[in-house]
mmCIF file of all heavy atoms in Angstrom:
data_model
loop_
_atom_site.group_PDB
_atom_site.id
_atom_site.type_symbol
_atom_site.label_atom_id
_atom_site.label_comp_id
_atom_site.label_asym_id
_atom_site.label_seq_id
_atom_site.Cartn_x
_atom_site.Cartn_y
_atom_site.Cartn_z
ATOM 1 N N MET A 1037 112.870 95.925 46.723
ATOM 2 C CA MET A 1037 113.577 95.927 48.000
ATOM 3 C C MET A 1037 113.066 97.013 48.901
ATOM 4 O O MET A 1037 112.842 98.095 48.463
ATOM 5 C CB MET A 1037 115.097 96.144 47.629
ATOM 6 C CG MET A 1037 115.962 96.025 48.920
ATOM 7 S SD MET A 1037 117.653 96.463 48.552
ATOM 8 C CE MET A 1037 118.154 94.889 47.864
ATOM 9 N N ILE A 1038 112.966 96.652 50.161
ATOM 10 C CA ILE A 1038 112.504 97.703 51.129
ATOM 11 C C ILE A 1038 113.713 98.203 51.938
ATOM 12 O O ILE A 1038 114.571 97.462 52.383
ATOM 13 C CB ILE A 1038 111.532 97.003 52.134
ATOM 14 C CG1 ILE A 1038 110.301 96.461 51.428
ATOM 15 C CG2 ILE A 1038 111.093 98.032 53.252
ATOM 16 C CD1 ILE A 1038 109.404 95.629 52.260
ATOM 17 N N ALA A 1039 113.798 99.515 51.911
ATOM 18 C CA ALA A 1039 114.925 100.163 52.603
ATOM 19 C C ALA A 1039 114.761 99.933 54.082
ATOM 20 O O ALA A 1039 113.678 100.009 54.663
ATOM 21 C CB ALA A 1039 114.957 101.637 52.336
ATOM 22 N N PRO A 1040 115.896 99.654 54.813
ATOM 23 C CA PRO A 1040 115.775 99.456 56.257
ATOM 24 C C PRO A 1040 115.360 100.735 56.954
ATOM 25 O O PRO A 1040 115.823 101.787 56.589
ATOM 26 C CB PRO A 1040 117.198 99.055 56.622
ATOM 27 C CG PRO A 1040 118.078 99.572 55.545
ATOM 28 C CD PRO A 1040 117.207 99.516 54.331
ATOM 29 N N GLN A 1041 114.536 100.597 57.866
ATOM 30 C CA GLN A 1041 114.011 101.736 58.644
ATOM 31 C C GLN A 1041 114.849 102.028 59.876
ATOM 32 O O GLN A 1041 115.223 101.108 60.578
ATOM 33 C CB GLN A 1041 112.572 101.479 59.094
ATOM 34 C CG GLN A 1041 111.578 101.335 57.930
ATOM 35 C CD GLN A 1041 111.454 102.555 57.114
ATOM 36 O OE1 GLN A 1041 111.203 103.631 57.668
ATOM 37 N NE2 GLN A 1041 111.612 102.476 55.836
ATOM 38 N N PRO A 1042 115.226 103.319 60.155
ATOM 39 C CA PRO A 1042 115.904 103.618 61.349
ATOM 40 C C PRO A 1042 115.001 103.415 62.540
ATOM 41 O O PRO A 1042 113.762 103.453 62.405
ATOM 42 C CB PRO A 1042 116.238 105.113 61.128
ATOM 43 C CG PRO A 1042 115.198 105.631 60.219
ATOM 44 C CD PRO A 1042 114.871 104.482 59.300
ATOM 45 N N PHE A 1043 115.667 103.066 63.617
ATOM 46 C CA PHE A 1043 114.876 102.889 64.856
ATOM 47 C C PHE A 1043 115.760 103.429 66.043
ATOM 48 O O PHE A 1043 116.856 103.867 65.818
ATOM 49 C CB PHE A 1043 114.471 101.397 65.008
ATOM 50 C CG PHE A 1043 115.683 100.441 64.956
ATOM 51 C CD1 PHE A 1043 116.374 100.101 66.098
ATOM 52 C CD2 PHE A 1043 116.137 99.948 63.724
ATOM 53 C CE1 PHE A 1043 117.416 99.207 66.052
ATOM 54 C CE2 PHE A 1043 117.210 99.101 63.695
ATOM 55 C CZ PHE A 1043 117.875 98.748 64.822
ATOM 56 N N LYS A 1044 115.246 103.235 67.227
ATOM 57 C CA LYS A 1044 116.070 103.723 68.381
ATOM 58 C C LYS A 1044 115.941 102.678 69.525
ATOM 59 O O LYS A 1044 114.993 101.906 69.566
ATOM 60 C CB LYS A 1044 115.587 105.063 68.786
ATOM 61 C CG LYS A 1044 114.178 105.114 69.382
ATOM 62 C CD LYS A 1044 113.856 106.541 69.737
ATOM 63 C CE LYS A 1044 112.408 106.585 70.251
ATOM 64 N NZ LYS A 1044 112.005 107.959 70.617
ATOM 65 N N PHE A 1045 116.962 102.711 70.355
ATOM 66 C CA PHE A 1045 116.900 101.961 71.569
ATOM 67 C C PHE A 1045 116.631 102.920 72.636
ATOM 68 O O PHE A 1045 117.239 104.038 72.745
ATOM 69 C CB PHE A 1045 118.230 101.246 71.784
ATOM 70 C CG PHE A 1045 118.440 100.070 70.943
ATOM 71 C CD1 PHE A 1045 119.347 100.126 69.854
ATOM 72 C CD2 PHE A 1045 117.785 98.903 71.189
ATOM 73 C CE1 PHE A 1045 119.563 99.027 69.046
ATOM 74 C CE2 PHE A 1045 118.023 97.781 70.399
ATOM 75 C CZ PHE A 1045 118.943 97.874 69.337
ATOM 76 N N VAL A 1046 115.727 102.529 73.637
ATOM 77 C CA VAL A 1046 115.479 103.418 74.803
ATOM 78 C C VAL A 1046 115.761 102.526 76.060
ATOM 79 O O VAL A 1046 115.220 101.471 76.199
ATOM 80 C CB VAL A 1046 114.023 103.778 74.793
ATOM 81 C CG1 VAL A 1046 113.680 104.710 75.985
ATOM 82 C CG2 VAL A 1046 113.682 104.545 73.521
ATOM 83 N N CYS A 1047 116.531 103.160 76.947
ATOM 84 C CA CYS A 1047 116.755 102.519 78.230
ATOM 85 C C CYS A 1047 115.574 102.748 79.135
ATOM 86 O O CYS A 1047 115.199 103.870 79.357
ATOM 87 C CB CYS A 1047 118.019 103.110 78.814
ATOM 88 S SG CYS A 1047 118.313 102.455 80.466
ATOM 89 N N PRO A 1048 115.000 101.703 79.663
ATOM 90 C CA PRO A 1048 113.844 101.825 80.509
ATOM 91 C C PRO A 1048 114.134 102.318 81.883
ATOM 92 O O PRO A 1048 113.341 102.748 82.700
ATOM 93 C CB PRO A 1048 113.204 100.410 80.575
ATOM 94 C CG PRO A 1048 114.412 99.514 80.349
ATOM 95 C CD PRO A 1048 115.319 100.287 79.397
ATOM 96 N N LYS A 1049 115.453 102.295 82.231
ATOM 97 C CA LYS A 1049 115.916 102.680 83.557
ATOM 98 C C LYS A 1049 116.294 104.164 83.647
ATOM 99 O O LYS A 1049 115.795 104.900 84.530
ATOM 100 C CB LYS A 1049 117.098 101.868 83.999
ATOM 101 C CG LYS A 1049 117.410 101.998 85.428
ATOM 102 C CD LYS A 1049 118.516 100.855 85.838
ATOM 103 C CE LYS A 1049 118.834 100.989 87.256
ATOM 104 N NZ LYS A 1049 119.852 99.966 87.648
ATOM 105 N N CYS A 1050 117.125 104.680 82.699
ATOM 106 C CA CYS A 1050 117.557 106.028 82.827
ATOM 107 C C CYS A 1050 117.091 106.885 81.694
ATOM 108 O O CYS A 1050 117.326 108.107 81.662
ATOM 109 C CB CYS A 1050 119.071 106.071 82.926
ATOM 110 S SG CYS A 1050 119.940 105.672 81.356
ATOM 111 N N GLY A 1051 116.405 106.310 80.684
ATOM 112 C CA GLY A 1051 115.905 107.115 79.570
ATOM 113 C C GLY A 1051 116.861 107.388 78.464
ATOM 114 O O GLY A 1051 116.580 108.130 77.518
ATOM 115 N N HIS A 1052 118.070 106.860 78.559
ATOM 116 C CA HIS A 1052 119.080 107.083 77.511
ATOM 117 C C HIS A 1052 118.556 106.474 76.206
ATOM 118 O O HIS A 1052 118.043 105.418 76.157
ATOM 119 C CB HIS A 1052 120.380 106.400 77.924
ATOM 120 C CG HIS A 1052 121.455 106.549 76.842
ATOM 121 N ND1 HIS A 1052 122.146 107.668 76.721
ATOM 122 C CD2 HIS A 1052 121.966 105.633 76.000
ATOM 123 C CE1 HIS A 1052 123.043 107.550 75.730
ATOM 124 N NE2 HIS A 1052 122.874 106.267 75.254
ATOM 125 N N THR A 1053 118.777 107.279 75.104
ATOM 126 C CA THR A 1053 118.317 106.774 73.816
ATOM 127 C C THR A 1053 119.518 106.737 72.836
ATOM 128 O O THR A 1053 120.458 107.430 72.960
ATOM 129 C CB THR A 1053 117.268 107.668 73.242
ATOM 130 O OG1 THR A 1053 117.753 109.024 73.108
ATOM 131 C CG2 THR A 1053 115.966 107.737 74.087
ATOM 132 N N LYS A 1054 119.378 105.724 71.911
ATOM 133 C CA LYS A 1054 120.393 105.625 70.950
ATOM 134 C C LYS A 1054 119.753 105.430 69.565
ATOM 135 O O LYS A 1054 118.964 104.510 69.405
ATOM 136 C CB LYS A 1054 121.316 104.410 71.202
ATOM 137 C CG LYS A 1054 122.357 104.147 70.152
ATOM 138 C CD LYS A 1054 123.084 102.792 70.498
ATOM 139 C CE LYS A 1054 124.080 102.453 69.349
ATOM 140 N NZ LYS A 1054 124.695 101.171 69.659
ATOM 141 N N LEU A 1055 120.059 106.301 68.592
ATOM 142 C CA LEU A 1055 119.404 106.096 67.267
ATOM 143 C C LEU A 1055 120.239 105.270 66.398
ATOM 144 O O LEU A 1055 121.492 105.271 66.398
ATOM 145 C CB LEU A 1055 119.439 107.579 66.651
ATOM 146 C CG LEU A 1055 118.591 107.692 65.322
ATOM 147 C CD1 LEU A 1055 117.110 107.425 65.535
ATOM 148 C CD2 LEU A 1055 118.841 109.072 64.713
ATOM 149 N N VAL A 1056 119.559 104.313 65.716
ATOM 150 C CA VAL A 1056 120.214 103.397 64.841
ATOM 151 C C VAL A 1056 119.712 103.502 63.438
ATOM 152 O O VAL A 1056 118.501 103.479 63.148
ATOM 153 C CB VAL A 1056 119.969 101.961 65.357
ATOM 154 C CG1 VAL A 1056 120.620 100.883 64.447
ATOM 155 C CG2 VAL A 1056 120.477 101.765 66.787
ATOM 156 N N LYS A 1057 120.618 103.785 62.476
ATOM 157 C CA LYS A 1057 120.272 103.851 61.084
ATOM 158 C C LYS A 1057 120.957 102.745 60.284
ATOM 159 O O LYS A 1057 122.082 102.865 60.011
ATOM 160 C CB LYS A 1057 120.636 105.175 60.509
ATOM 161 C CG LYS A 1057 119.874 106.374 61.186
ATOM 162 C CD LYS A 1057 120.276 107.662 60.577
ATOM 163 C CE LYS A 1057 119.473 108.819 61.147
ATOM 164 N NZ LYS A 1057 119.937 110.144 60.663
ATOM 165 N N PRO A 1058 120.239 101.660 59.988
ATOM 166 C CA PRO A 1058 120.902 100.519 59.327
ATOM 167 C C PRO A 1058 121.419 100.959 57.939
ATOM 168 O O PRO A 1058 120.789 101.743 57.235
ATOM 169 C CB PRO A 1058 119.750 99.572 59.140
ATOM 170 C CG PRO A 1058 118.807 99.871 60.179
ATOM 171 C CD PRO A 1058 118.848 101.372 60.382
ATOM 172 N N LYS A 1059 122.625 100.585 57.590
ATOM 173 C CA LYS A 1059 123.277 100.990 56.331
ATOM 174 C C LYS A 1059 122.783 100.067 55.195
ATOM 175 O O LYS A 1059 122.822 100.500 54.042
ATOM 176 C CB LYS A 1059 124.757 100.943 56.393
ATOM 177 C CG LYS A 1059 125.344 102.059 57.328
ATOM 178 C CD LYS A 1059 126.852 102.005 57.330
ATOM 179 C CE LYS A 1059 127.444 103.199 58.188
ATOM 180 N NZ LYS A 1059 127.222 102.866 59.583
ATOM 181 N N SER A 1060 122.284 98.964 55.482
ATOM 182 C CA SER A 1060 121.839 98.087 54.400
ATOM 183 C C SER A 1060 120.722 97.181 55.030
ATOM 184 O O SER A 1060 120.353 97.359 56.183
ATOM 185 C CB SER A 1060 123.009 97.164 54.010
ATOM 186 O OG SER A 1060 123.311 96.162 54.973
ATOM 187 N N ASP A 1061 120.200 96.322 54.171
ATOM 188 C CA ASP A 1061 119.133 95.518 54.696
ATOM 189 C C ASP A 1061 119.679 94.204 55.393
ATOM 190 O O ASP A 1061 118.901 93.322 55.770
ATOM 191 C CB ASP A 1061 118.171 95.075 53.553
ATOM 192 C CG ASP A 1061 118.902 94.351 52.387
ATOM 193 O OD1 ASP A 1061 120.116 94.296 52.485
ATOM 194 O OD2 ASP A 1061 118.256 93.922 51.506
ATOM 195 N N VAL A 1062 120.956 94.117 55.503
ATOM 196 C CA VAL A 1062 121.557 93.033 56.279
ATOM 197 C C VAL A 1062 121.799 93.529 57.698
ATOM 198 O O VAL A 1062 122.662 94.337 57.991
ATOM 199 C CB VAL A 1062 122.905 92.615 55.654
ATOM 200 C CG1 VAL A 1062 123.509 91.400 56.460
ATOM 201 C CG2 VAL A 1062 122.718 92.161 54.166
ATOM 202 N N LEU A 1063 121.008 92.955 58.595
ATOM 203 C CA LEU A 1063 121.055 93.378 59.984
ATOM 204 C C LEU A 1063 122.006 92.477 60.775
ATOM 205 O O LEU A 1063 122.053 91.266 60.646
ATOM 206 C CB LEU A 1063 119.720 93.346 60.642
ATOM 207 C CG LEU A 1063 118.671 94.348 60.005
ATOM 208 C CD1 LEU A 1063 117.351 94.110 60.700
ATOM 209 C CD2 LEU A 1063 119.100 95.780 60.189
ATOM 210 N N ASN A 1064 122.775 93.117 61.665
ATOM 211 C CA ASN A 1064 123.604 92.419 62.599
ATOM 212 C C ASN A 1064 122.806 92.009 63.805
ATOM 213 O O ASN A 1064 121.843 92.666 64.183
ATOM 214 C CB ASN A 1064 124.828 93.263 63.024
ATOM 215 C CG ASN A 1064 125.715 93.631 61.821
ATOM 216 O OD1 ASN A 1064 126.034 92.780 61.014
ATOM 217 N ND2 ASN A 1064 126.064 94.921 61.746
ATOM 218 N N PRO A 1065 123.257 91.022 64.485
ATOM 219 C CA PRO A 1065 122.521 90.643 65.740
ATOM 220 C C PRO A 1065 122.584 91.800 66.749
ATOM 221 O O PRO A 1065 121.670 92.022 67.546
ATOM 222 C CB PRO A 1065 123.340 89.503 66.349
ATOM 223 C CG PRO A 1065 124.030 88.895 65.114
ATOM 224 C CD PRO A 1065 124.263 90.049 64.169
ATOM 225 N N THR A 1066 123.555 92.641 66.706
ATOM 226 C CA THR A 1066 123.659 93.765 67.574
ATOM 227 C C THR A 1066 122.642 94.865 67.235
ATOM 228 O O THR A 1066 122.541 95.855 68.027
ATOM 229 C CB THR A 1066 125.072 94.382 67.572
ATOM 230 O OG1 THR A 1066 125.442 94.681 66.190
ATOM 231 C CG2 THR A 1066 126.072 93.414 68.197
ATOM 232 N N ASP A 1067 121.984 94.700 66.100
ATOM 233 C CA ASP A 1067 120.977 95.728 65.722
ATOM 234 C C ASP A 1067 119.693 95.466 66.529
ATOM 235 O O ASP A 1067 118.834 96.278 66.533
ATOM 236 C CB ASP A 1067 120.644 95.653 64.235
ATOM 237 C CG ASP A 1067 121.813 96.181 63.411
ATOM 238 O OD1 ASP A 1067 122.496 97.050 63.902
ATOM 239 O OD2 ASP A 1067 121.949 95.817 62.281
ATOM 240 N N PHE A 1068 119.572 94.347 67.210
ATOM 241 C CA PHE A 1068 118.411 93.958 67.888
ATOM 242 C C PHE A 1068 118.456 94.059 69.394
ATOM 243 O O PHE A 1068 117.455 94.222 70.056
ATOM 244 C CB PHE A 1068 117.951 92.551 67.506
ATOM 245 C CG PHE A 1068 117.644 92.422 66.042
ATOM 246 C CD1 PHE A 1068 118.599 91.908 65.136
ATOM 247 C CD2 PHE A 1068 116.404 92.806 65.547
ATOM 248 C CE1 PHE A 1068 118.256 91.795 63.797
ATOM 249 C CE2 PHE A 1068 116.087 92.790 64.132
ATOM 250 C CZ PHE A 1068 117.082 92.306 63.293
ATOM 251 N N ILE A 1069 119.684 94.041 69.855
ATOM 252 C CA ILE A 1069 119.868 94.074 71.278
ATOM 253 C C ILE A 1069 120.946 95.092 71.626
ATOM 254 O O ILE A 1069 122.003 95.079 70.937
ATOM 255 C CB ILE A 1069 120.284 92.661 71.917
ATOM 256 C CG1 ILE A 1069 119.162 91.664 71.682
ATOM 257 C CG2 ILE A 1069 120.571 92.819 73.394
ATOM 258 C CD1 ILE A 1069 119.449 90.305 72.132
ATOM 259 N N ASP A 1070 120.770 95.952 72.565
ATOM 260 C CA ASP A 1070 121.841 96.845 72.943
ATOM 261 C C ASP A 1070 121.724 97.061 74.445
ATOM 262 O O ASP A 1070 120.716 96.993 75.061
ATOM 263 C CB ASP A 1070 121.655 98.176 72.188
ATOM 264 C CG ASP A 1070 123.004 98.906 72.095
ATOM 265 O OD1 ASP A 1070 123.980 98.389 72.682
ATOM 266 O OD2 ASP A 1070 123.007 99.938 71.480
ATOM 267 N N ILE A 1071 122.945 97.390 75.033
ATOM 268 C CA ILE A 1071 123.037 97.600 76.434
ATOM 269 C C ILE A 1071 123.295 99.094 76.740
ATOM 270 O O ILE A 1071 124.174 99.720 76.049
ATOM 271 C CB ILE A 1071 124.146 96.742 77.061
ATOM 272 C CG1 ILE A 1071 123.923 95.220 76.734
ATOM 273 C CG2 ILE A 1071 124.310 96.994 78.522
ATOM 274 C CD1 ILE A 1071 122.661 94.703 77.384
ATOM 275 N N CYS A 1072 122.599 99.677 77.609
ATOM 276 C CA CYS A 1072 122.809 101.078 77.987
ATOM 277 C C CYS A 1072 124.216 101.266 78.452
ATOM 278 O O CYS A 1072 124.698 100.567 79.329
ATOM 279 C CB CYS A 1072 121.813 101.478 79.033
ATOM 280 S SG CYS A 1072 121.997 103.165 79.580
ATOM 281 N N PRO A 1073 124.969 102.200 77.803
ATOM 282 C CA PRO A 1073 126.322 102.547 78.244
ATOM 283 C C PRO A 1073 126.394 103.184 79.663
ATOM 284 O O PRO A 1073 127.459 103.241 80.271
ATOM 285 C CB PRO A 1073 126.813 103.445 77.166
ATOM 286 C CG PRO A 1073 125.578 104.117 76.706
ATOM 287 C CD PRO A 1073 124.538 103.115 76.725
ATOM 288 N N LYS A 1074 125.263 103.674 80.141
ATOM 289 C CA LYS A 1074 125.305 104.402 81.408
ATOM 290 C C LYS A 1074 125.024 103.542 82.589
ATOM 291 O O LYS A 1074 125.727 103.475 83.552
ATOM 292 C CB LYS A 1074 124.250 105.537 81.357
ATOM 293 C CG LYS A 1074 124.666 106.680 80.413
ATOM 294 C CD LYS A 1074 123.613 107.833 80.611
ATOM 295 C CE LYS A 1074 123.983 108.977 79.689
ATOM 296 N NZ LYS A 1074 123.037 110.122 79.734
ATOM 297 N N CYS A 1075 124.022 102.653 82.379
ATOM 298 C CA CYS A 1075 123.591 101.848 83.556
ATOM 299 C C CYS A 1075 123.606 100.347 83.266
ATOM 300 O O CYS A 1075 123.130 99.581 84.132
ATOM 301 C CB CYS A 1075 122.201 102.322 84.122
ATOM 302 S SG CYS A 1075 120.859 102.175 82.979
ATOM 303 N N LYS A 1076 124.071 99.951 82.158
ATOM 304 C CA LYS A 1076 124.162 98.530 81.744
ATOM 305 C C LYS A 1076 122.842 97.748 81.710
ATOM 306 O O LYS A 1076 122.886 96.607 81.908
ATOM 307 C CB LYS A 1076 125.183 97.874 82.698
ATOM 308 C CG LYS A 1076 126.477 98.615 82.858
ATOM 309 C CD LYS A 1076 127.262 98.854 81.538
ATOM 310 C CE LYS A 1076 128.533 99.550 81.815
ATOM 311 N NZ LYS A 1076 129.184 99.944 80.567
ATOM 312 N N THR A 1077 121.790 98.524 81.497
ATOM 313 C CA THR A 1077 120.481 97.896 81.416
ATOM 314 C C THR A 1077 120.209 97.544 79.925
ATOM 315 O O THR A 1077 120.567 98.236 79.096
ATOM 316 C CB THR A 1077 119.383 98.851 82.009
ATOM 317 O OG1 THR A 1077 119.641 99.104 83.335
ATOM 318 C CG2 THR A 1077 117.973 98.199 81.858
ATOM 319 N N LYS A 1078 119.534 96.390 79.706
ATOM 320 C CA LYS A 1078 119.175 96.073 78.347
ATOM 321 C C LYS A 1078 118.142 97.070 77.861
ATOM 322 O O LYS A 1078 117.128 97.321 78.520
ATOM 323 C CB LYS A 1078 118.545 94.648 78.425
ATOM 324 C CG LYS A 1078 118.241 94.138 77.004
ATOM 325 C CD LYS A 1078 117.835 92.635 77.093
ATOM 326 C CE LYS A 1078 117.298 92.118 75.752
ATOM 327 N NZ LYS A 1078 115.954 92.704 75.392
ATOM 328 N N MET A 1079 118.395 97.646 76.689
ATOM 329 C CA MET A 1079 117.595 98.676 76.156
ATOM 330 C C MET A 1079 116.431 98.076 75.290
ATOM 331 O O MET A 1079 116.614 97.051 74.675
ATOM 332 C CB MET A 1079 118.384 99.682 75.342
ATOM 333 C CG MET A 1079 119.581 100.341 76.194
ATOM 334 S SD MET A 1079 120.632 101.314 75.191
ATOM 335 C CE MET A 1079 119.708 102.778 74.919
ATOM 336 N N ASP A 1080 115.306 98.800 75.281
ATOM 337 C CA ASP A 1080 114.180 98.401 74.478
ATOM 338 C C ASP A 1080 114.256 98.950 73.043
ATOM 339 O O ASP A 1080 114.591 100.198 72.892
ATOM 340 C CB ASP A 1080 112.925 98.854 75.087
ATOM 341 C CG ASP A 1080 112.579 98.231 76.398
ATOM 342 O OD1 ASP A 1080 113.010 96.998 76.627
ATOM 343 O OD2 ASP A 1080 111.994 98.866 77.268
ATOM 344 N N LYS A 1081 114.017 98.134 72.058
ATOM 345 C CA LYS A 1081 113.976 98.634 70.681
ATOM 346 C C LYS A 1081 112.682 99.305 70.425
ATOM 347 O O LYS A 1081 111.630 98.714 70.741
ATOM 348 C CB LYS A 1081 114.225 97.508 69.721
ATOM 349 C CG LYS A 1081 114.302 97.881 68.263
ATOM 350 C CD LYS A 1081 114.475 96.613 67.392
ATOM 351 C CE LYS A 1081 114.401 97.018 65.949
ATOM 352 N NZ LYS A 1081 114.346 95.950 65.036
ATOM 353 N N ARG A 1082 112.734 100.463 69.841
ATOM 354 C CA ARG A 1082 111.481 101.225 69.512
ATOM 355 C C ARG A 1082 111.549 101.746 68.103
ATOM 356 O O ARG A 1082 112.572 102.186 67.690
ATOM 357 C CB ARG A 1082 111.315 102.409 70.498
ATOM 358 C CG ARG A 1082 111.189 101.986 71.982
ATOM 359 C CD ARG A 1082 109.836 101.613 72.359
ATOM 360 N NE ARG A 1082 109.737 101.202 73.745
ATOM 361 C CZ ARG A 1082 109.697 101.994 74.787
ATOM 362 N NH1 ARG A 1082 109.744 103.320 74.595
ATOM 363 N NH2 ARG A 1082 109.590 101.578 75.969
ATOM 364 N N PRO A 1083 110.430 101.715 67.381
ATOM 365 C CA PRO A 1083 110.402 102.380 66.120
ATOM 366 C C PRO A 1083 110.405 103.892 66.379
ATOM 367 O O PRO A 1083 110.034 104.366 67.428
ATOM 368 C CB PRO A 1083 109.099 101.918 65.533
ATOM 369 C CG PRO A 1083 108.210 101.604 66.716
ATOM 370 C CD PRO A 1083 109.205 101.123 67.784
ATOM 371 N N LEU A 1084 110.887 104.611 65.391
ATOM 372 C CA LEU A 1084 110.976 106.088 65.531
ATOM 373 C C LEU A 1084 109.471 106.562 65.422
ATOM 374 O O LEU A 1084 108.731 106.224 64.610
ATOM 375 C CB LEU A 1084 111.756 106.702 64.352
ATOM 376 C CG LEU A 1084 113.278 106.443 64.514
ATOM 377 C CD1 LEU A 1084 114.001 107.221 63.357
ATOM 378 C CD2 LEU A 1084 113.836 106.921 65.823
ATOM 379 N N GLY A 1085 109.235 107.530 66.353
ATOM 380 C CA GLY A 1085 107.926 108.221 66.316
ATOM 381 C C GLY A 1085 107.940 109.354 65.302
ATOM 382 O O GLY A 1085 108.922 109.644 64.667
ATOM 383 N N PHE A 1086 106.805 110.010 65.164
ATOM 384 C CA PHE A 1086 106.673 111.082 64.224
ATOM 385 C C PHE A 1086 107.661 112.251 64.592
ATOM 386 O O PHE A 1086 108.297 112.825 63.703
ATOM 387 C CB PHE A 1086 105.222 111.610 64.308
ATOM 388 C CG PHE A 1086 105.007 112.876 63.476
ATOM 389 C CD1 PHE A 1086 104.954 112.788 62.119
ATOM 390 C CD2 PHE A 1086 104.841 114.098 64.077
ATOM 391 C CE1 PHE A 1086 104.799 113.859 61.330
ATOM 392 C CE2 PHE A 1086 104.631 115.216 63.314
ATOM 393 C CZ PHE A 1086 104.587 115.125 61.911
ATOM 394 N N LEU A 1087 107.801 112.565 65.851
ATOM 395 C CA LEU A 1087 108.657 113.676 66.243
ATOM 396 C C LEU A 1087 110.114 113.336 65.910
ATOM 397 O O LEU A 1087 110.902 114.275 65.595
ATOM 398 C CB LEU A 1087 108.542 113.926 67.754
ATOM 399 C CG LEU A 1087 107.180 114.582 68.192
ATOM 400 C CD1 LEU A 1087 107.125 114.687 69.725
ATOM 401 C CD2 LEU A 1087 107.012 115.960 67.554
ATOM 402 N N ASP A 1088 110.505 112.023 66.090
ATOM 403 C CA ASP A 1088 111.829 111.725 65.732
ATOM 404 C C ASP A 1088 112.167 111.939 64.292
ATOM 405 O O ASP A 1088 113.404 112.270 63.999
ATOM 406 C CB ASP A 1088 112.089 110.235 66.085
ATOM 407 C CG ASP A 1088 112.009 109.942 67.582
ATOM 408 O OD1 ASP A 1088 112.647 110.633 68.343
ATOM 409 O OD2 ASP A 1088 111.181 109.074 67.909
ATOM 410 N N LYS A 1089 111.257 111.844 63.460
ATOM 411 C CA LYS A 1089 111.537 111.943 61.990
ATOM 412 C C LYS A 1089 111.726 113.418 61.597
ATOM 413 O O LYS A 1089 112.118 113.676 60.396
ATOM 414 C CB LYS A 1089 110.346 111.338 61.217
ATOM 415 C CG LYS A 1089 110.353 109.807 61.401
ATOM 416 C CD LYS A 1089 109.138 109.169 60.613
ATOM 417 C CE LYS A 1089 109.201 107.684 60.830
ATOM 418 N NZ LYS A 1089 108.067 106.980 60.174
ATOM 419 N N LEU A 1090 111.339 114.376 62.412
ATOM 420 C CA LEU A 1090 111.482 115.732 62.157
ATOM 421 C C LEU A 1090 112.911 116.200 62.220
ATOM 422 O O LEU A 1090 113.325 117.209 61.644
ATOM 423 C CB LEU A 1090 110.659 116.569 63.051
ATOM 424 C CG LEU A 1090 109.091 116.441 62.941
ATOM 425 C CD1 LEU A 1090 108.474 117.309 63.980
ATOM 426 C CD2 LEU A 1090 108.655 116.839 61.545
ATOM 427 N N PHE A 1091 113.743 115.393 62.993
ATOM 428 C CA PHE A 1091 115.158 115.804 63.170
ATOM 429 C C PHE A 1091 116.080 114.977 62.417
ATOM 430 O O PHE A 1091 115.788 113.979 61.939
ATOM 431 C CB PHE A 1091 115.428 115.736 64.640
ATOM 432 C CG PHE A 1091 114.585 116.608 65.439
ATOM 433 C CD1 PHE A 1091 113.502 116.116 66.159
ATOM 434 C CD2 PHE A 1091 114.802 118.009 65.534
ATOM 435 C CE1 PHE A 1091 112.660 116.954 66.932
ATOM 436 C CE2 PHE A 1091 113.936 118.873 66.282
ATOM 437 C CZ PHE A 1091 112.839 118.305 66.990
HETATM 438 ZN ZN1 ZN B 197 120.322 103.433 81.202
#
């Protein structure tokens, strides 16, 4: 079994980011699409970069 990898959503408009850490390998539809709480723009899903893993 492969452990689910954390990822983040990045708003292309205001730069707001949201870190997502899946608790299991069963993903919800909401794990793939998210809306920025600040400007209501559809956020882009991004894998965590090297710097993100340091924190
Ligand atoms: Zn935004």
Side-chain angles (χ1 to χ4, degrees):
M1037 181 183 284
I1038 300 173
Q1041 296 294 308
F1043 55 91
K1044 66 182 177 181
F1045 285 106
V1046 180
C1047 176
K1049 191 172 182 179
C1050 73
H1052 178 76
T1053 60
K1054 176 185 175 184
L1055 189 65
V1056 179
K1057 294 180 180 178
K1059 291 184 177 68
S1060 72
D1061 58 352
V1062 179
L1063 296 176
N1064 296 316
T1066 54
D1067 289 332
F1068 298 97
I1069 296 175
D1070 205 355
I1071 302 297
C1072 179
K1074 291 184 179 180
C1075 62
K1076 311 302 180 187
T1077 300
K1078 183 173 175 288
M1079 300 172 78
D1080 293 330
K1081 183 183 175 187
R1082 299 277 177 79
L1084 289 183
F1086 175 73
L1087 289 175
D1088 294 307
K1089 293 178 181 176
L1090 292 178
F1091 299 102

